[in-house]
Amino acid sequence: MTTATTPKGERRRQALVAAAAELLLEGGFDAVRHRSVATRADLPLASTTYYFESLEDLIARAVEFSGTVELDAMRRRVGEVSHRRRGAEATVDLVLDLLVGPDTGDASGQVIARYERSVASARHPELREVQLRLRAKLEDLLADVLRRSDRVVRPEQLRRLVAVVDSAVVSALIEGQPEPRRTARAGLLELIDLVAPPVVPNVANMVPQQPERVRQLD
């Protein structure tokens, strides 16, 4: 593997990563091979071994690329969220926008690819490190959404929240249910006020309103 120290080399390396990310989204890990990546990037076959230590290294970079693109989209979504007190349903919908994606009615290839990456990381240490970095950033975004919804953020409960959604989505995918987001929504609605309860106003710091004086008539 050679570090892409020149602009041309860096462009080629990024083209290979982007090509691998596309193949990963379209056909899963089995679709990412040296030849298929080089063909998709319109580069010589030897370039995949020139810029990367192994196929696993290329896949890890592709996963990081895909995850970063998803996080950027999530970050923009969070930036659109105003800071106000939200009920359980509105809060759950915002959380699911991040964890599952828009309510399109069925599972997107992006959602399926995301869970494939998570499962694959159990067998590949380098991929696991990438997933851990991506998950930490995702948890930061979730915490931000909850704060903007005037909810208590407890770091130890963020993973519980994610686990509830993950379990529901994976079960829905296994069972062939067409709307995994709906399944996850039902489960999360039962727990959101427990894992991220609304902030309780500090009554002691509230300024009492002065009673309106009644005009005395002469």
Side-chain angles (χ1 to χ4, degrees):
M1 185 272 290
T2 300
T3 303
T5 56
T6 66
K8 180 180 178 181
E10 182 59 28
R11 285 195 301 270
R12 286 190 166 196
R13 190 174 191 278
Q14 288 303 315
L16 291 167
V17 170
E22 289 178 3
L23 291 167
L24 195 61
L25 179 62
E26 294 171 6
F29 287 86
D30 289 340
V32 183
R33 294 290 181 264
H34 288 291
R35 187 174 298 280
S36 60
V37 172
T39 300
R40 177 65 62 94
D42 196 22
L43 289 171
L45 176 59
S47 62
T48 59
T49 54
Y50 183 78
Y51 292 108
F52 301 95
E53 294 179 353
S54 62
L55 184 61
E56 288 72 22
D57 179 34
L58 173 56
I59 289 175
R61 302 289 74 76
V63 166
E64 190 161 27
F65 177 87
S66 297
T68 300
V69 169
E70 291 176 11
L71 285 170
D72 287 343
M74 293 177 189
R75 199 170 288 111
R76 290 192 295 272
R77 176 70 183 96
V78 173
E80 298 170 351
V81 176
S82 61
H83 193 155
R84 64 178 177 82
R85 193 173 187 84
R86 290 182 173 84
E89 291 193 358
T91 303
V92 165
D93 284 337
L94 286 175
V95 169
L96 293 177
D97 282 349
L98 300 186
L99 295 179
V100 184
D103 188 4
T104 58
D106 56 6
S108 68
Q110 191 174 55
V111 170
I112 295 172
R114 186 183 306 162
Y115 285 102
E116 286 178 336
R117 297 197 304 258
S118 297
V119 173
S121 66
R123 292 184 179 274
H124 304 283
E126 188 170 0
L127 191 56
R128 188 182 309 129
E129 293 175 6
V130 171
Q131 286 292 100
L132 288 173
R133 290 198 298 270
L134 294 173
R135 187 175 69 178
K137 294 177 181 179
L138 173 60
E139 289 176 356
D140 288 342
L141 290 174
L142 285 173
D144 194 3
V145 159
L146 293 174
R147 291 191 189 97
R148 291 176 185 238
S149 299
D150 207 18
R151 298 251 165 186
V152 175
V153 175
R154 296 180 288 190
E156 69 277 8
Q157 294 286 19
L158 284 176
R159 290 188 180 179
R160 183 183 178 190
L161 184 153
V162 175
V164 169
V165 175
D166 287 347
S167 176
V169 172
V170 170
S171 294
L173 292 175
I174 291 174
E175 295 168 6
Q177 296 181 19
E179 299 181 2
R181 176 176 167 134
R182 178 177 296 183
T183 303
R185 190 176 191 273
L188 195 54
L189 275 173
E190 296 178 359
L191 292 175
I192 190 65
D193 286 339
L194 295 176
V195 298
V199 172
V200 178
N202 190 339
V203 180
N205 293 333
M206 295 178 65
V207 178
Q209 294 183 350
Q210 297 296 327
E212 184 179 354
R213 293 184 177 180
V214 179
R215 291 181 58 191
Q216 298 296 325
L217 299 178
D218 293 336

